[in-house]
Amino acid sequence: MPGIDKLPIEETLEDSPQTRSLLGVFEEDTAATSSYFSQLFKAMQRIYDAQNELSAATHLTSRLLKDYEKQRFPLGGDDEVMSSTLQQFAKVIDELSSCHAVLSTQLADAMMFPITQFQERDLREIVILKEVFQIASDEHDAAVNRYSRLSKRRENEKVKNEVMEDVYTSRKKQHETIMQYFASLNMLQYKKKMALLEPLLGYMQAQISFFKLGSENLTQQWEEFLTNIGTSVQNVRREMDSDAEATEQTIQDLKAASDPLYMPDPDPNKIPVNRNLTRKAGYLNTRYKTSLVSSAWDRQYFFTQGGNLMSQSRGDVAGGLVMDIDNCSVMAVDCDDRRFCFQITSFNGKKAVILQAESRKDCEEWIATINNISKRIYLSENPEEIAARVNQSALEAVTPSPSFQQRHDSFRPSTQGRLKTDRSGSQCSAGSESPALSSLSLDSLVAPDTPIQFDIISPVSEEHTSQAKSGAQGRTNPFGESGGSKSEESEDSILHQLYIVRFLGCMEVKATESADVIYETMRQILAARAIHNIFRMTESHLLVTCECLKLIDPQTQVTRLWFPLSSVVLCASHQENKRLLGFVLKTAGGRMDGRPVTVCYVFESNNDGEKICDSVGLAKQIALHSEMDRKATQKQRDLDKAKEKQQEELHKQKQIEKDLEEQSRLIATSSRPSQSAADGQFLVLSNSQSEDSEAGEEGQKKGESNA
C-alpha cells in the first residue's frame, strides 16, 4: 500500500543511532495513535450505549401501551377507542423495538468489535514488545561492557568463554526482539487504517440496514393509520381549544356574577333572602364542648338530606348524620359573642346543636329551610315514607357509594328508589351494597328476624350472670366463665392496650368466614338506629391483653363485658369509615341446647379501627406463641421426669445386682470344704447365713421381676 512508512528490519543487527532515531519517530506516532483511538472508542461507545438505551426505552413504551387497558383510572378508564388505538400503536412500536434491537446487535458486531480488538490486542502488543526490547537492549549493553573489560595480560579462558557466550546470547535476543518490534510497528500502520475504517463502515451499514428494515415494516397501511391518528389529534386539539374558550368565558361570567358573593355579609337589598328553600348546603361553624366549662368551634360542610341534617369534613368520603330535624325547633341565639348563630333543638329536647353562619342572609335562609323541612315532614300522612327516608339517609351517610358519580349524587336528597329495609337486611339498593356482598346471600351471613341489642347486657343465663356479679365484682362474662383468675393473669400480660369505644349494638350472625358478616352487621345496626331514632351510645374503655378483651366503665372502673381472646374468631374495621369496627365472638354453648352461638359486636372508636384490630391480632399471636412455649416447656419437663425415673430404676437395678453379688460371695466363703455338691444334697448354714440367703433369694427374684 503506497504511502506507508516502514522501519528497516535489515539494519536491526547494526542498531545504529539513525535506526534508533527512526524508531523514536514511530514510537511517537504509536502514542498519538493510542490517544486518538481512545477518544474515538469513547465516542463510539456512547453511540452504542445510546442505541441500547433507545432500544430498551422503545420496548418499555410498547409494554406500557399494551398494559393500558389493564389500568383502572377513576376518570375515563373505559374508553374503548383509546384502548384499541393504543394497542395498534403498541404493535407498531414493538416492531420498531425489534428493529432497534437488531441495530444494537449490528453495531456491537460491526462497529465496536474492530475498534475494541485494535485497542486491546494490537496497541497492547506494541506496548509489551517495547518493554521487552528495552530489557533486551539493556542486557546486551551490559554484556558488551563486561566483554570490553577483559584483561589482556591475565587471560582466563573460562571467564573469556563465559563472557563471549553472554554477549552471543544477549545480542541474539536483542536482534530477535528488535526485529519483532519493528515488524509489529510496521504492521501497526496497516492495522491503524483498518481499525479506523472498519467501525465507520459497520456503523453506516447497520444504519442503512435499520432504515431498510423500517421502510419494509412501516407499510402503506401504517402510514394511513398514522395519518388518521394525526387527524384525530388535531380534532381533539380544536375541541380542547373551543372548550378552553368556553371555560374562559364561563369563568369571566362567574367572576362578574359572583363579585357580590365574595363579601361575607352582602347587602340584603342587593341579594334578598330566599325563605322558600327546602334544601340547603354550605359551610357552618359548629360548637362543641372540650371540657365542662370550655368549648371550641369547628368549620364543617352541612347539608340537608331528606329529613336529616348531615355534616361532612374535608377529606371524608361521605357525610354523617348530625340530627333528625323532624318536628325540630330552630331559632337565632347569642353564643360566645359570635354573630349569626342559630340553634337547632330536637323534638324531644334532648339534643341541641349550635351553628354559626357566615352572614345574616345565610343564617336566615338556614332557619327558613329547616323550618320548611320540619313542617313538610310533620304534615306527611304516610309514616312508612318517613321511616324509609330516614333509613335511606342513614344508609347513604354510613355506606359509601362505590363510584365517583354516585359518591357526589349521594350528597343530594333522593326522591326515587326509596329503600325499604327490615332488620334482616334481605333487600338493599345497588348503591349501598358492597361488591363482595352482592355475590353472597345476606341470609347466609345474618339470620333473618335476628333481634338487635343496643345496650350492654350479658347474653348468658341468669345463673351465670349471678355468679359473675357475685364472684367478679360486677364483671360480666358472656361465655359463662369465671373471671377471677383471668384478671390476675391479665395484670401480668405482656400486652396492655386501652382504647375509648362506644357500643353501637350486637346481633347473632351465622357466617364467620369473611369480614362481610361484620360489614353487613354494621349496616343493619346503623340502619336500625336511624329508623328508631336511637342515638345514645354507651362509652367504655376497651382493654386488649394477651388473655382477654375487657369493656370497662370509665367512671366506676367496673368490667362490663369480658371476652376470652380465644373466642374472638374475626375482627375488622369498616372499609370507608375507619372508626367503625366489629368483633365476631363464638361461645362454647350459649343456647339452651348447648349449641355454639356466634355474635357480632359493633363499636365506634375515637381512634383508627384498624389499630384496634391490629392490637387484637398481635395479642392472639402473642397468646399463640406463649401457649406453644408452655407446651414445649411441659413436654421437656415430662421428658426430664421420665429420664429421672429411668435413672432411678437403673440405680435400683444396679443396687440389687450388687446385693446379689455380695450374698453370693458370703455364701461361697461360708460353705464347708467337705460338703458335697451332688444333686439332692443341701448346704447346712447357720441361722444368720440362712437369713442372708433368704434375703438374697428375695432380692434376686425382685431384680428378675424388675428386669
Side-chain angles (χ1 to χ4, degrees):
M1 185 176 183
I4 297 296
D5 296 324
K6 295 183 179 180
L7 287 169
I9 300 179
E10 298 83 4
E11 300 177 1
T12 54
L13 182 59
E14 183 180 357
D15 193 17
S16 62
Q18 291 80 7
T19 304
R20 287 293 183 108
S21 299
L22 186 59
L23 176 61
V25 175
F26 271 75
E27 288 178 347
E28 291 179 1
D29 182 75
T30 302
T33 301
S34 176
S35 176
Y36 175 77
F37 271 87
S38 177
Q39 298 178 9
L40 183 62
F41 175 79
K42 291 180 180 179
M44 291 186 175
Q45 184 67 38
R46 291 179 63 183
I47 294 175
Y48 178 68
D49 293 340
Q51 179 60 39
N52 286 336
E53 291 180 2
L54 180 60
S55 177
T58 308
H59 178 70
L60 178 61
T61 303
S62 174
R63 184 170 61 83
L64 292 176
L65 292 178
K66 290 179 181 178
D67 295 341
Y68 176 81
E69 61 181 1
K70 300 178 183 179
Q71 300 295 325
R72 293 294 178 263
F73 298 98
L75 298 176
D78 298 331
D79 193 349
E80 297 181 357
V81 177
M82 179 63 72
S83 298
S84 61
T85 303
L86 293 181
Q87 290 300 318
Q88 294 180 3
F89 265 114
K91 186 176 181 181
V92 178
I93 295 177
D94 195 14
E95 294 179 359
L96 289 177
S97 175
S98 301
C99 296
H100 281 291
V102 173
L103 177 59
S104 298
T105 305
Q106 292 178 349
L107 290 178
D109 296 337
M111 183 182 73
M112 296 304 301
F113 181 74
I115 192 171
T116 304
Q117 287 294 316
F118 178 74
Q119 264 204 320
E120 296 181 354
R121 184 183 63 184
D122 299 332
L123 293 178
R124 181 65 178 170
E125 181 184 2
I126 295 297
V127 174
I128 295 174
L129 286 175
K130 181 179 179 181
E131 294 176 355
V132 174
F133 165 70
Q134 190 65 38
I135 294 173
S137 179
D138 294 341
E139 292 178 353
H140 176 260
D141 293 342
V144 171
N145 288 333
R146 286 196 301 272
Y147 177 75
S148 300
R149 289 196 301 268
L150 287 176
S151 177
K152 181 175 65 174
R153 287 174 292 187
R154 293 182 301 174
E155 291 186 359
N156 188 340
E157 194 67 24
K158 182 178 179 181
V159 174
K160 180 181 177 181
N161 291 335
E162 289 179 356
V163 172
M164 291 178 63
E165 183 68 23
D166 192 12
V167 171
Y168 171 80
T169 303
S170 61
R171 184 168 293 175
K172 180 180 179 181
K173 180 179 179 181
Q174 181 194 16
H175 187 220
E176 292 176 354
T177 303
I178 195 172
M179 285 192 298
Q180 184 68 27
Y181 186 35
F182 278 24
S184 297
L185 288 175
N186 291 336
M187 292 299 104
L188 185 64
Q189 307 306 312
Y190 295 96
K191 293 178 180 179
K192 177 174 64 175
K193 296 181 181 297
M194 290 187 298
L196 185 60
L197 295 177
E198 284 184 355
L200 299 177
L201 179 62
Y203 174 73
M204 296 304 298
Q205 289 178 348
Q207 292 291 343
I208 293 173
S209 176
F210 171 72
F211 292 139
K212 287 183 178 180
L213 188 61
S215 63
E216 292 174 359
N217 291 333
L218 296 177
T219 59
Q220 184 68 24
Q221 178 182 359
W222 291 118
E223 292 180 0
E224 294 178 357
F225 167 71
L226 296 177
T227 303
N228 294 333
I229 295 300
T231 304
S232 300
V233 171
Q234 294 299 326
N235 293 334
V236 173
R237 185 177 297 278
R238 284 193 294 269
E239 184 178 353
M240 181 187 67
D241 293 339
S242 61
D243 192 6
E245 293 178 0
T247 303
E248 184 65 25
Q249 184 61 36
T250 303
I251 290 174
Q252 296 298 330
D253 295 342
L254 288 176
K255 288 172 62 178
S258 302
D259 187 70
L261 300 178
Y262 294 152
M263 293 297 295
D265 190 10
D267 189 0
N269 296 326
K270 295 181 179 179
I271 304 177
V273 178
N274 188 355
R275 303 183 184 278
N276 298 322
L277 296 175
T278 57
R279 288 185 298 176
K280 180 70 175 173
Y283 281 96
L284 297 172
N285 293 326
T286 178
R287 182 175 179 268
Y288 64 94
K289 287 186 173 294
T290 57
S291 64
L292 295 177
V293 295
S294 61
S295 61
W297 295 79
D298 185 23
R299 181 177 170 84
Q300 293 183 1
Y301 186 80
F302 287 82
F303 58 94
T304 60
Q305 190 172 49
N308 297 313
L309 179 64
M310 317 291 289
S311 68
Q312 183 179 4
S313 301
R314 288 182 180 177
D316 292 346
V317 178
L321 179 65
V322 177
M323 66 180 303
D324 181 14
I325 54 178
D326 180 12
N327 198 20
C328 69
S329 61
V330 56
M331 62 179 178
V333 294
D334 293 331
C335 183
D336 293 348
D337 195 19
R338 291 198 174 209
R339 302 183 302 166
F340 316 130
C341 295
F342 61 97
Q343 176 177 319
I344 307 173
T345 307
S346 60
F347 69 96
N348 54 7
K350 293 183 178 180
K351 185 175 183 179
V353 179
I354 299 178
L355 305 172
Q356 180 191 18
E358 195 176 66
S359 62
R360 185 180 303 277
K361 169 184 172 297
D362 199 16
C363 178
E364 293 180 2
E365 286 185 350
W366 272 104
I367 293 174
T369 302
I370 294 174
N371 281 327
N372 294 337
I373 294 174
S374 177
K375 182 179 179 182
R376 185 186 64 182
I377 296 178
Y378 180 69
L379 295 177
S380 176
E381 297 179 357
N382 190 357
E384 295 181 358
E385 183 180 355
I386 298 176
R389 185 184 299 113
V390 173
N391 187 18
Q392 173 69 17
S393 301
L395 289 177
E396 290 176 354
V398 174
T399 306
S401 301
S403 66
F404 179 83
Q405 185 65 28
Q406 292 177 355
R407 189 185 307 160
H408 289 275
D409 290 343
S410 65
F411 296 160
R412 306 184 181 92
S414 175
T415 57
Q416 296 179 356
R418 298 296 184 186
L419 182 66
K420 296 181 179 180
T421 305
D422 56 1
R423 287 183 296 178
S424 64
S426 60
Q427 296 178 355
C428 183
S429 63
S432 62
E433 184 178 6
S434 64
L437 290 177
S438 61
S439 61
L440 297 173
S441 174
L442 299 183
D443 292 342
S444 64
L445 301 176
V446 181
D449 299 331
T450 301
I452 299 176
Q453 179 179 312
F454 297 110
D455 293 326
I456 300 179
I457 302 175
S458 175
V460 297
S461 61
E462 295 180 357
E463 179 181 358
H464 290 158
T465 304
S466 60
Q467 293 176 358
K469 288 183 178 180
S470 60
Q473 297 180 359
R475 181 175 303 155
T476 304
N477 181 2
F479 301 93
E481 300 177 3
S482 176
S485 61
K486 291 291 183 179
S487 63
E488 297 177 358
E489 294 179 1
S490 63
E491 291 178 358
D492 299 333
S493 177
I494 301 176
L495 181 67
H496 278 82
Q497 295 289 338
L498 191 65
Y499 302 96
I500 299 177
V501 297
R502 286 171 292 278
F503 180 72
L504 295 177
C506 64
M507 59 188 302
E508 183 180 348
V509 296
K510 298 172 64 176
T512 60
E513 289 78 11
S514 65
D516 296 331
V517 63
I518 296 179
Y519 303 150
E520 174 63 16
T521 305
M522 290 178 180
R523 189 193 68 80
Q524 293 196 25
I525 289 176
L526 293 173
R529 278 181 169 270
I531 292 174
H532 300 289
N533 293 327
I534 301 175
F535 300 105
R536 182 178 58 84
M537 294 180 289
T538 304
E539 185 172 300
S540 303
H541 289 173
L542 176 63
L543 178 62
V544 181
T545 66
C546 297
E547 290 82 17
C548 63
L549 302 180
K550 289 183 181 181
L551 281 179
I552 303 173
D553 191 338
Q555 301 295 331
T556 62
Q557 298 301 316
V558 174
T559 302
R560 292 173 174 169
L561 285 178
W562 181 79
F563 307 128
L565 195 62
S566 59
S567 64
V568 181
V569 297
L570 197 61
C571 176
S573 62
H574 199 274
Q575 293 175 335
E576 297 295 338
N577 189 356
K578 298 299 182 181
R579 296 175 60 185
L580 297 179
L581 70 148
F583 300 102
V584 177
L585 309 170
K586 181 175 289 187
T587 66
R591 295 182 181 272
M592 297 299 294
D593 52 3
R595 291 190 292 109
V597 178
T598 305
V599 182
C600 181
Y601 289 80
V602 179
F603 300 91
E604 180 187 23
S605 172
N606 292 342
N607 308 95
D608 191 353
E610 292 184 356
K611 295 182 180 179
I612 302 179
C613 295
D614 293 340
S615 298
V616 175
L618 178 61
K620 292 181 74 68
Q621 290 182 3
I622 295 175
L624 177 61
H625 288 296
S626 300
E627 182 66 18
M628 293 174 62
D629 294 341
R630 188 190 64 79
K631 290 182 179 179
T633 305
Q634 184 65 30
K635 184 177 180 181
Q636 185 63 32
R637 194 175 298 166
D638 295 341
L639 291 175
D640 294 341
K641 289 183 178 180
K643 191 174 181 180
E644 291 178 359
K645 186 176 181 181
Q646 186 178 5
Q647 292 292 338
E648 291 178 358
E649 294 293 336
L650 290 175
H651 181 70
K652 289 180 180 180
Q653 186 175 357
K654 289 181 180 180
Q655 186 66 31
I656 292 172
E657 291 176 355
K658 186 177 180 180
D659 294 342
L660 290 175
E661 290 178 358
E662 183 68 22
Q663 292 294 334
S664 300
R665 187 180 62 80
L666 292 175
I667 293 173
T669 55
S670 61
S671 61
R672 296 179 180 179
S674 61
Q675 188 173 354
S676 176
D679 294 339
Q681 294 181 354
F682 299 94
L683 182 66
V684 179
L685 302 175
S686 63
N687 293 333
S688 60
Q689 291 177 346
S690 63
E691 291 176 358
D692 294 340
S693 178
E694 291 177 357
E697 290 178 358
E698 291 178 358
Q700 185 177 2
K701 291 180 181 181
K702 186 177 180 181
E704 291 177 357
S705 63
N706 291 333

